[in-house]
Amino acid sequence: MKTLRRCERFCDCYRIHIRKLSVISDNKPEPSLVENVVHVERVSNLHYLLQLCAKTRSSVGGRACHAQVIRVGWEMDVLTSNMLINMYSKCSLVDSARKKFNEMPVKSLVSWNTIIGALTHNAEGQEEALTLFIQMQREGTPFNEFTISSILCKCAFKYAILECMQLHAFSIKAAIDSNCFVGTALLHVYAKFSSIKYASQIFDSMPEKNVVTWSSMMAGYVQNGFHEETLLLFHNAQFMGFEQDAFMISSAVSACAGLATLVEGKQLHAISHKSGFGSNIYVSSSLIDMYAKCGCIREAYLVFQGAMEVWSIVLWNAMISGFARHAYAPEAMILFEKMQQRGFFPDDVTYVSILNACSHMGLHEEGQKYFDLMVRQHKLSPSVLHFSCMVDIFGRAGLVHKAYELIERMPFNATSSMWGSLLASCRVYGNIELAEIAAKHLFEMEPNNAGNHILLANIYAANEKWDEVARARKLLRENDLKKERGTSWIEIKNKVHSFTVGERNHPQIDEIYAKLDDLVVELKKLNYKVDTSNDLHDVEESRKQMLLRHHSEKLAITFGLMCLPSCIPIRIIKNLRICGDCHIFMKLMSKFTSREIIVRDTNRFHHFKDGFCSCRDFW
DNA sequence: GTAGGGTTAG
């Protein structure tokens, strides 16, 4: 009798111990607990222990539990079997989970949901998960919100948006579409298919939203280029009292990178530190990218160094891409070597970045060396992006025939960006013959892109082929093709000021034009001559000079000089490539005002200092 | 007992 009581106390003691651990523990169960699992003969104790093993991903404890289940003959118990499947799933032992599921003579909805959930966690199992879902339908087992949310996010991408819409319809029919998990999964899927309108409709109509819903919507926006909406949502989430997590912060930082809003990006950097997400890989890599895209390559490198503890390939890639963007090819190359010394193998993204760095510096031999290294040493299969980089490298280095040959023999169809790159190179190196070939393809692929027609006309103009220039002008006029309007942005005191070419709406525009006129007078003393050779407008020379003088980046720099203290650099973002005249203007302006000027155009960064540009006039 | 979210790429 006394022994029995002692045994009961022993079991009770375990029950309390296991129960406490299953609620609070983030660590694996102590080895003694796992060893003593054989003593636990109460079903509730085993259940607690199974939960604990699933939570802590302890396969040793989990297998011991399974052995105990068999020993005491609870194999047929549905609840216990479900817990075993879940434990195996969390311990990444999918085969064991599948075996247990198949052995069950009677399955509950939870059994189906658990095995489907287990299969969705890796790419190989997703097809099987979908098959099981279809099998469920055939067998007449009703699904619920758990089934749909598992299936939606991981498996739906294998198919088209129509399948996702069908799953959406299923959930409406089953009246589970208002469930928070289902809604979040649905908006995530629609955003992945770039149907941001549907995603935001679902978000707005959800009766209950949690922090995952908000961060999924933010991620959806930022991945589809809706940067302003991302930041708006971030502020709304703050207003609604949701504590920002690392998911939200990384999306918000990416939005700042897209918008090049340095002030807000810095605020988010401070928030991430304060919230303890400073060492999160996603936050760190988006911060590196944000600083690089805002023109602050030193700050990007500081974040990179600070993330030393948690280095991942993405952090290396983000930094190499940052260096490439700023045409710091030697730094990118050093990092490329260093990453390998630290045991990281370059991946396809690393190679896109390193090739891009070579392209911006005209390093065609080095570019070819990296391309060969990618194939021979790292056994990576070059994608269309890598070929695109190589076309750019050869073209920019003046090897236009080599670029064309590569387009002809590569295993992909040429993209418009490749022909565009070749056309731009033909303009720089004056190759009319290849320019016409590239333009022919471009006109077919992008008939409404005025920039391509203008580029070809510029080549004719440079070669004094005036008849062709006139023909190109006529074509532009007849088809009413207009080039995207030049716009530049500058951030001053947390506010973004935007200027279009010939801007009239800015509240201080008269003051800006007056100041710009004064500056031009001063720059002319430094031999500044307005270069109208790139201007195709069918107007007099004096009018051309006026149009060039009012280019958006000139207005933005003038406003920056008026508003920003002399000790800080002036940062400008532009929607088009900087023109030759503005490039000379910025160089002279940096010398005349002793200011550092940083311009981000569509291609790259230009750091102007003491009359020189970091691109060494190669862009 | 079972479910949903993030970073780097011309």
Side-chain angles (χ1 to χ4, degrees):
Chain A
M1 195 64 187
K2 270 185 184 173
T3 316
L4 189 65
R5 274 202 202 115
R6 258 208 315 275
C7 252
E8 278 176 355
R9 274 205 302 277
F10 180 74
C11 282
D12 281 344
C13 181
Y14 261 115
R15 182 171 55 81
I16 294 161
H17 185 48
I18 297 165
R19 195 171 190 173
K20 271 188 189 164
L21 275 173
S22 68
V23 173
I24 59 165
S25 174
D26 280 333
N27 301 316
K28 287 184 189 293
E30 292 160 27
S32 62
L33 193 70
V34 176
E35 283 161 18
N36 284 317
V37 73
V38 284
H39 300 300
V40 186
E41 294 195 354
R42 282 192 185 178
V43 72
S44 61
N45 286 358
L46 239 169
H47 286 172
Y48 285 131
L49 199 50
L50 268 171
Q51 273 181 295
L52 181 60
C53 291
K55 198 169 162 183
T56 58
R57 279 117 173 91
S58 167
S59 56
V60 179
R63 285 202 188 280
C65 286
H66 196 169
Q68 178 70 353
V69 167
I70 296 168
R71 201 177 70 79
V72 297
W74 292 332
E75 289 161 282
M76 297 299 150
D77 179 63
V78 176
L79 177 61
T80 310
S81 301
N82 290 344
M83 283 181 160
L84 279 168
I85 299 170
N86 185 43
M87 178 274 298
Y88 281 129
S89 159
K90 294 290 187 298
C91 294
S92 306
L93 299 166
V94 186
D95 288 341
S96 304
R98 190 192 286 111
K99 188 167 177 282
K100 183 66 215 163
F101 175 78
N102 289 335
E103 281 169 6
M104 286 174 77
V106 180
K107 299 173 176 76
S108 72
L109 175 56
V110 177
S111 322
W112 286 94
N113 288 345
T114 314
I115 191 65
I116 286 174
L119 291 165
T120 56
H121 289 307
N122 58 60
E124 296 86 51
Q126 287 164 9
E127 192 89 31
E128 197 182 337
L130 264 170
T131 313
L132 278 180
F133 179 64
I134 295 162
Q135 196 184 325
M136 261 179 105
Q137 313 275 89
R138 286 201 189 120
E139 288 182 13
T141 311
F143 60 83
N144 68 359
E145 59 271 34
F146 286 81
T147 336
I148 286 283
S149 49
S150 288
I151 285 285
L152 264 171
C153 272
K154 298 286 194 294
C155 309
F157 303 131
K158 286 189 160 278
Y159 296 91
I161 191 163
L162 271 176
E163 271 78 8
C164 294
M165 289 173 118
Q166 201 177 4
L167 288 167
H168 189 180
F170 277 165
S171 58
I172 293 171
K173 209 174 155 192
I176 51 170
D177 58 315
S178 56
N179 173 276
C180 185
F181 281 75
V182 174
T184 306
L186 276 168
L187 78 84
H188 172 74
V189 166
Y190 280 122
K192 282 275 177 204
F193 278 112
S194 302
S195 297
I196 205 72
K197 202 176 136 195
Y198 281 135
S200 69
Q201 270 173 7
I202 289 171
F203 179 79
D204 291 339
S205 65
M206 280 172 73
E208 203 186 305
K209 301 181 189 85
N210 63 14
V211 69
V212 181
T213 321
W214 283 82
S215 67
S216 301
M217 192 63 242
M218 283 182 62
Y221 273 138
V222 80
Q223 285 159 4
N224 285 282
F226 292 86
H227 305 301
E228 279 157 342
E229 287 78 0
T230 311
L231 290 178
L232 196 68
L233 213 61
F234 183 75
H235 295 308
N236 281 346
Q238 268 183 305
F239 181 72
M240 299 283 285
F242 286 102
E243 207 169 312
Q244 308 101 326
D245 62 6
F247 289 84
M248 280 193 192
I249 293 175
S250 57
S251 291
V253 172
S254 296
C256 290
L259 294 166
T261 50
L262 181 60
V263 175
E264 186 142 20
K266 277 185 173 172
Q267 284 168 356
L268 284 163
H269 191 180
I271 290 173
S272 71
H273 257 298
K274 215 172 134 188
S275 320
F277 303 128
S279 57
N280 179 289
I281 297 172
Y282 295 92
V283 173
S284 303
S285 43
S286 52
L287 279 170
I288 294 168
D289 186 51
M290 181 276 293
Y291 278 122
K293 283 182 179 162
C294 286
C296 309
I297 197 70
R298 286 182 207 92
E299 284 80 354
Y301 195 64
L302 285 175
V303 176
F304 175 71
Q305 282 182 313
M308 234 175 223
E309 305 270 313
V310 287
W311 273 1
S312 82
I313 180 80
V314 180
L315 292 168
W316 291 93
N317 287 351
M319 196 62 238
I320 292 173
S321 138
F323 279 141
R325 203 177 292 283
H326 289 257
Y328 289 178
E331 287 80 357
M333 288 171 182
I334 290 168
L335 224 54
F336 184 84
E337 294 304 323
K338 258 192 190 172
M339 71 183 279
Q340 291 172 81
Q341 287 164 13
R342 303 277 173 108
F344 290 94
F345 289 110
D347 65 6
D348 49 344
V349 180
T350 326
Y351 274 107
V352 170
S353 300
I354 198 80
L355 291 174
N356 191 19
C358 294
S359 161
H360 284 310
M361 296 285 282
L363 306 172
H364 65 93
E365 283 173 6
E366 286 80 354
Q368 183 70 66
K369 190 191 85 186
Y370 284 117
F371 191 84
D372 295 342
L373 202 67
M374 172 170 65
V375 181
R376 288 190 194 142
Q377 195 173 328
H378 294 119
K379 312 287 179 208
L380 293 166
S381 173
S383 73
V384 70
L385 268 182
H386 299 107
F387 278 101
S388 187
C389 289
M390 289 310 293
V391 169
D392 210 43
I393 286 174
F394 290 139
R396 281 172 190 272
L399 306 168
V400 283
H401 280 287
K402 213 167 170 181
Y404 180 57
E405 276 166 29
L406 187 64
I407 290 178
E408 289 289 278
R409 68 177 161 87
M410 68 178 179
F412 300 98
N413 288 329
T415 61
S416 57
S417 83
M418 287 180 191
W419 291 121
S421 166
L422 184 64
L423 183 62
S425 301
C426 288
R427 188 199 171 278
V428 175
Y429 295 100
N431 189 318
I432 295 184
E433 188 195 345
L434 277 182
E436 284 176 334
I437 295 173
K440 189 173 163 279
H441 285 97
L442 269 176
F443 295 163
E444 278 169 16
M445 293 166 103
E446 302 175 333
N448 296 320
N449 186 336
N452 298 331
H453 290 272
I454 291 168
L455 206 52
L456 183 66
N458 272 328
I459 298 172
Y460 289 137
N463 288 277
E464 299 185 348
K465 289 184 173 282
W466 303 114
D467 289 347
E468 278 83 353
V469 174
R471 198 154 44 90
R473 270 187 193 145
K474 197 169 162 237
L475 207 70
L476 279 166
R477 216 173 19 243
E478 280 173 1
N479 294 307
D480 198 25
L481 298 178
K482 287 193 173 62
K483 205 178 163 188
E484 193 181 350
R485 206 170 164 79
T487 309
S488 295
W489 298 266
I490 183 164
E491 192 177 15
I492 289 165
K493 287 183 189 157
N494 212 6
K495 188 170 182 266
V496 176
H497 294 259
S498 139
F499 295 91
T500 52
V501 53
E503 177 71 41
R504 288 302 332 162
N505 296 327
H506 192 275
Q508 286 168 268
I509 198 68
D510 292 335
E511 222 180 306
I512 294 168
Y513 278 124
K515 172 83 177 169
L516 179 57
D517 287 342
D518 293 344
L519 286 167
V520 170
V521 171
E522 293 301 329
L523 294 193
K524 279 187 174 167
K525 291 178 190 166
L526 294 173
N527 264 341
Y528 171 57
K529 286 189 191 91
V530 181
D531 176 9
T532 55
S533 62
N534 290 343
D535 197 304
L536 262 192
H537 287 94
D538 196 6
V539 291
E540 291 168 11
E541 183 65 18
S542 59
R543 174 81 182 122
K544 273 190 184 180
Q545 290 203 11
M546 190 55 79
L547 283 168
L548 270 181
R549 184 183 288 192
H550 296 166
H551 268 188
S552 60
E553 56 268 59
K554 292 197 181 88
L555 299 173
I557 183 78
T558 309
F559 189 57
L561 285 167
M562 285 162 57
C563 302
L564 293 170
S566 57
C567 55
I568 60 167
I570 302 174
R571 297 169 202 280
I572 293 166
I573 317 291
K574 197 177 176 216
N575 67 333
L576 303 173
R577 262 185 68 181
I578 188 168
C579 80
D581 182 65
C582 285
H583 199 261
I584 296 168
F585 183 90
M586 296 291 173
K587 283 202 288 185
L588 292 172
M589 188 66 89
S590 71
K591 190 174 180 186
F592 173 63
T593 59
S594 306
R595 300 284 293 254
E596 193 181 345
I597 301 165
I598 300 159
V599 178
R600 183 181 110 179
D601 72 8
T602 42
N603 266 357
R604 51 164 297 156
F605 274 95
H606 300 262
H607 291 254
F608 298 96
K609 205 177 174 185
D610 302 325
F612 293 96
C613 179
S614 60
C615 78
R616 297 188 225 158
D617 303 334
F618 184 88
W619 82 95

